[in-house]
């Protein structure tokens, strides 16, 4: 079952989008009017939001066939792989292979181009000049190659301080005769080390329920992401899931989560004060996984964090996921990370990669927060649009746009 949200200027418009995207078999789960945000927009005509679902059929869905290896999303973007323990593993994309091939070809072209330039620079009949050029050129060449890769990183919005850090480390670690491939490999390894191995959810081996809290600003995608993870662990891996919503500031948020839990047949507790969380957790003691949704906080209002701190203190989660949208301004993301620095440990979960302009933010924010990465979400579709962060793909994308 694939669930999606559609927004239109009226019901007809929203339904048209549903039909175009999901076809005539789509089931309408919920329809409601929504107000646009912003003072002036509040007075404009409300929009219509339609929550629709379509059954993809047993052969197509990665939910109904855990471990079968692959799943293609509606947009044809990604595949997910599950292992025998039912852990969502790094996705495989067919286009990675072509990306790698393309990158290798470009690196090869660049090497040939640089060799041609150096040959042209060397006077044919002057052996003394030639030998001095040979002593001087290799270092020049190394710097130039590093510069080309650094420019690609900058082009992909990697923070200049991180680019300089990578460049100087690579420069000091490569020999003067290093080839383009050697340098590319060093740059790649440095990026991989900075991103670090992602840590998706691993269930406890004992009977204890694993408690996970989702935190982050309003609108970042906490509820949708929680629903994706709940659906995958419940349907794919047949795990027992309990959901707790503490986002009682927005009735719509609770309703949204209830819609998902109704469809998935999962139990939900809504708590109205942090003190109620202990009872809610006790009621779910037979579960494998307890997922807790929290209200979004303005990162500027530290007062609002008191309640969140209490929820975390009382629930004592094994994992906290801080959600950061890749569409949020870089400086705002830095402020958000700063405002959640009261959390001793958390994993970063990036949302809205499908709307992001580059991969640079992922490296920047991983470096600044200095925390492990986990998942990245790639669209609104529950549960398809989520995958484990693929650091290999990110590193290649960041280095790869070589224009020669
Ligand atoms: P919350 O306030 O943090 O709980 O955020 P919601 O889960 O309510 O999501 C806010 C909006 O972002 C909704 O319209 C979601 O459908 C949308 N959303 C969530 N994840 C993604 C994503 O990966 N990509 C895109 N484009 N939209 C997303």
């Amino acid at each position: 079952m694939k669930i999606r949200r559609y927004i239109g200027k009226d019901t007809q418009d929203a339904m048209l989008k549903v039909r175009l995207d999901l076809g005539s078999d789509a089931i309408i789960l919920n329809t409601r009017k929504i107000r646009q945000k912003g003072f002036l927009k509040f007075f404009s005509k409300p929009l219509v939001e339609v929550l629709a679902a379509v059954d993809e059929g047993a052969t197509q869905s990665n939910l109904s066939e855990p471990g079968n290896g692959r799943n293609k999303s509606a947009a044809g973007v990604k595949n997910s792989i599950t292992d025998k323990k039912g852990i969502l593993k790094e996705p495989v994309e067919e286009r990675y292979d072509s990306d790698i091939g393309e990158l290798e070809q470009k690196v090869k072209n660049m090497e040939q181009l640089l060799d041609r330039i150096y040959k042209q620079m060397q006077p044919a009949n002057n052996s003394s000049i030639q030998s001095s050029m040979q002593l001087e050129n290799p270092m020049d060449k190394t710097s130039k190659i590093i510069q080309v890769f650094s420019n690609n990183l900058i082009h992909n919005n990697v923070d200049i301080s991180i680019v300089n850090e990578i460049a100087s480390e690579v420069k000091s670690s490569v020999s003067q005769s290093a080839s383009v491939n050697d340098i590319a490999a060093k740059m790649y390894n440095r990026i991989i080390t900075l991103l670090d191995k992602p840590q998706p959810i691993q269930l406890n081996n004992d009977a204890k329920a694993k408690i996970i809290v989702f935190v982050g600003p309003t609108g970042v995608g906490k509820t949708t992401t929680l629903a994706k993870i709940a659906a995958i662990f419940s349907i794919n891996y047949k795990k027992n899931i309990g959901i707790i919503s503490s986002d009682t500031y927005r009735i719509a948020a609770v309703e949204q989560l209830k819609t998902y839990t109704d469809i998935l047949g999962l139990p939900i507790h809504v708590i109205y004060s942090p003190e109620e969380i202990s009872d809610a957790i006790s009621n779910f003691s037979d579960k494998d996984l307890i997922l807790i949704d929290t209200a979004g906080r303005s990162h500027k209002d530290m007062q609002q964090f008191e309640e969140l701190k209490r929820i975390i203190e009382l629930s004592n989660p094994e994992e906290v996921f801080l959600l950061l949208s890749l569409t949020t301004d870089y400086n705002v993301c830095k402020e958000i990370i700063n405002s959640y620095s009261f959390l001793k440990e958390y994993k970063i979960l990036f949302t809205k990669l499908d709307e992001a302009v580059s991969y640079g933010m992922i490296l920047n924010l991983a470096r600044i927060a200095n925390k492990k990465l986990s998942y990245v979400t790639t669209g609104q579709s529950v549960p398809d649009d989520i995958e484990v962060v693929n650091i290999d793909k990110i590193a290649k994308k960041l280095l790869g746009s070589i224009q020669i």
Side-chain angles (χ1 to χ4, degrees):
M1 176 78 74
K2 176 188 295 185
I3 303 163
R4 285 204 179 150
R5 284 167 141 210
Y6 297 84
I7 293 173
K9 56 182 189 309
D10 51 33
T11 311
Q12 210 179 2
D13 185 38
M15 291 300 289
L16 186 66
K17 288 178 182 168
V18 174
R19 298 282 176 248
L20 283 174
D21 200 27
L22 298 183
S24 54
D25 290 342
I27 305 158
I28 306 306
L29 304 168
N30 193 33
T31 310
R32 64 176 182 132
K33 287 194 171 145
I34 51 168
R35 291 257 168 218
Q36 295 181 67
K37 286 184 185 151
F39 181 71
L40 287 175
K41 285 191 174 154
F42 186 80
F43 295 101
S44 63
K45 203 165 169 271
L47 300 173
V48 172
E49 180 197 78
V50 173
L51 200 61
V54 74
D55 193 351
E56 288 183 294
T59 48
Q60 280 179 8
S61 170
N62 70 329
L63 292 181
S64 52
E65 286 190 288
N68 74 343
R70 283 159 188 256
N71 161 58
K72 264 221 186 301
S73 77
V77 178
K78 34 181 191 306
N79 300 314
S80 297
I81 282 191
T82 57
D83 66 12
K84 285 197 181 110
K85 282 191 200 157
I87 305 302
L88 187 68
K89 291 187 8 184
E90 296 190 19
V92 177
E93 289 189 13
E94 281 118 24
R95 68 187 157 98
Y96 295 171
D97 292 342
S98 65
D99 281 351
I100 298 163
E102 203 179 313
L103 178 60
E104 280 170 357
Q105 190 52 47
K106 283 176 176 174
V107 166
K108 222 177 191 169
N109 291 349
M110 191 163 76
E111 199 164 35
Q112 284 167 358
L113 186 72
L114 284 167
D115 281 346
R116 271 209 309 277
I117 292 168
Y118 287 113
K119 278 195 190 115
Q120 281 168 12
M121 282 166 69
Q122 291 179 359
N125 297 319
N126 189 334
S127 58
S128 64
I129 295 175
Q130 198 168 341
S131 60
S132 77
M133 291 287 288
Q134 276 162 352
L135 284 178
E136 207 178 282
N137 278 343
M139 195 53 220
D140 267 351
K141 184 177 162 185
T142 304
S143 301
K144 279 180 186 162
I145 297 167
I146 292 175
Q147 191 56 53
V148 172
F149 284 120
S150 297
N151 287 345
N152 283 342
L153 296 178
I154 292 167
H155 196 71
N156 284 313
N157 293 327
V158 177
D159 193 311
I160 187 72
S161 63
I162 300 173
V163 177
N164 288 340
E165 180 189 322
I166 296 170
S168 71
E169 278 177 16
V170 169
K171 206 177 242 175
S172 63
S173 70
V174 289
S175 74
Q176 294 195 348
S177 56
S179 68
V180 177
N181 277 332
D182 294 338
I183 294 167
K186 291 266 181 204
M187 303 274 299
Y188 168 89
N189 284 336
R190 192 61 213 132
I191 295 170
I192 291 286
T193 308
L194 287 178
L195 290 170
D196 209 355
K197 200 171 178 318
Q199 293 201 337
I201 297 168
Q202 303 277 345
L203 294 181
N204 291 332
N205 288 328
D206 53 26
K208 208 168 142 248
K210 182 159 203 161
I211 301 170
I212 300 178
V213 178
F214 293 75
V215 302
T218 306
V220 73
K222 287 183 298 300
T223 308
T224 315
T225 305
L226 185 151
K228 289 173 185 174
I229 290 176
I232 288 169
F233 276 87
S234 152
I235 304 172
N236 262 20
Y237 314 143
K238 315 274 180 271
K239 298 295 171 193
N240 240 329
I241 316 288
I243 291 171
I244 299 175
S245 171
S246 62
D247 190 355
T248 46
Y249 292 103
R250 290 186 309 138
I251 295 170
V254 176
E255 286 308 314
Q256 183 192 346
L257 199 50
K258 276 188 171 162
T259 308
Y260 290 126
T261 53
D262 281 353
I263 295 164
L264 295 166
L266 299 177
I268 178 167
H269 274 300
V270 180
I271 60 161
Y272 296 89
S273 79
E275 277 59 38
E276 291 174 34
I277 203 149
S278 308
D279 279 348
I281 289 174
S282 303
N283 284 331
F284 282 150
S285 58
D286 61 326
K287 304 292 175 209
D288 299 309
L289 198 55
I290 300 175
L291 305 174
I292 303 175
D293 196 12
T294 62
R297 265 99 189 146
S298 159
H299 60 279
K300 296 204 167 129
D301 188 347
M302 291 317 284
Q303 281 273 314
Q304 290 186 5
F305 279 90
E306 289 312 311
E307 194 177 287
L308 180 63
K309 283 183 191 169
R310 192 89 185 110
I311 287 173
I312 289 174
E313 198 178 290
L314 291 169
S315 60
N316 192 21
E318 273 167 83
E319 283 183 22
V320 177
F321 285 125
L322 170 61
L323 278 77
L324 296 170
S325 165
L326 291 169
T327 59
T328 305
D329 176 78
Y330 178 36
N331 286 323
V332 175
C333 279
K334 285 201 267 188
E335 285 177 26
I336 293 168
I337 287 172
N338 200 26
S339 61
Y340 281 88
S341 57
F342 68 90
L343 292 170
K344 274 203 285 299
E345 234 6 281
Y346 64 82
K347 288 175 189 165
I348 300 176
L349 195 158
F350 289 114
T351 60
K352 310 192 185 184
L353 178 66
D354 53 308
E355 290 182 1
V357 286
S358 71
Y359 282 73
M361 278 267 279
I362 297 179
L363 181 58
N364 295 344
L365 298 175
R367 181 85 182 101
I368 287 163
N370 198 20
K371 297 283 185 254
K372 303 270 189 212
L373 306 182
S374 57
Y375 299 95
V376 62
T377 73
T378 54
Q380 300 185 320
S381 195
V382 177
D384 283 353
D385 293 340
I386 185 165
E387 47 185 67
V388 177
V389 171
N390 186 327
I391 56 171
D392 170 65
K393 170 183 155 189
I394 295 164
K396 282 170 184 158
K397 290 265 184 205
L398 290 175
L399 289 169
S401 33
I402 305 167
Q403 301 297 328
I404 53 170

